[in-house]
Amino acid sequence: MVTLLLDRTQLEVVLSPIERAAAFHRENLRIDRESIVKVQLTDDAWTWLRGVASPGTHIPGVLAAGTWKSATGEDFVFIRRRRPSVIIDLENCEYDRLIFTTRNGLALTQALRLDVAEEPTDVVEIAATGAIPVTTQSKRRKTTPVVRPV
């Protein structure tokens, strides 16, 4: 899975050497924070794919990696199986969207809301030390009163 680093000016998506080879991409992605329009979390990133891999790797249901070109623009994707993913909409950037599998999507959305240091730091560390609390929903069922006739 990709590693996400964030500083005051940019988000860096760090790809391992194997991920770079699969995506036909030579270096990490660096995105200006000002270019980020919207961040969404999804359980099935495959539904967000549009266009064709050019250049890239596509094994349906298993791996989608690289640049995906469509009539509406270019997306950078790195999706593995059916795992939690993040979709980042961009403007004034090389890509229109970034779609990648990561278990740190919630940490990314929280870290983007915070002021961060000058040096790149992992988004998980930023979210853990940030001021925004992580909220989780309780699995308890809400009980409703039962009205019985008298």
Side-chain angles (χ1 to χ4, degrees):
M1 295 207 186
V2 297
T3 303
L4 305 170
L5 302 177
L6 186 68
D7 65 18
R8 286 183 188 219
T9 60
Q10 69 182 5
L11 169 67
E12 184 174 0
V13 180
V14 180
L15 302 171
S16 71
I18 293 171
E19 292 168 338
R20 288 184 196 166
F24 294 92
H25 209 269
R26 293 184 182 196
E27 54 190 39
N28 297 331
L29 292 169
R30 291 178 180 83
I31 307 298
D32 290 333
R33 283 182 75 169
E34 296 172 351
S35 299
I36 299 173
V37 177
K38 181 170 52 171
V39 178
Q40 301 175 69
L41 304 176
T42 183
D43 288 331
D44 187 10
W46 294 97
T47 60
W48 291 85
L49 282 180
R50 58 185 180 189
V52 295
S54 178
T57 303
H58 185 218
I59 304 170
V62 178
L63 177 69
T67 302
W68 287 68
K69 294 184 181 181
S70 69
T72 58
E74 294 184 2
D75 300 341
F76 181 84
V77 302
F78 201 94
I79 304 169
R80 291 185 183 169
R81 304 211 181 260
R82 301 223 183 266
R83 296 185 179 156
S85 302
V86 64
I87 297 101
I88 302 174
D89 291 328
L90 306 169
E91 66 179 14
N92 302 325
C93 195
E94 177 183 1
Y95 297 106
D96 295 325
R97 273 194 318 198
L98 303 178
I99 305 170
F100 49 87
T101 301
T102 181
R103 63 184 83 140
N104 301 325
L106 184 60
L108 172 64
T109 58
Q110 291 175 339
L112 285 170
R113 295 179 189 170
L114 301 173
D115 289 330
V116 295
E118 295 289 334
E119 62 211 33
T121 309
D122 193 342
V123 295
V124 176
E125 293 176 22
I126 294 170
T129 60
I132 300 174
V134 178
T135 58
T136 57
Q137 293 182 353
S138 174
K139 300 277 183 183
R140 289 180 167 170
R141 288 186 179 179
K142 185 177 179 182
T143 58
T144 56
V146 177
V147 179
R148 297 181 186 195
V150 184

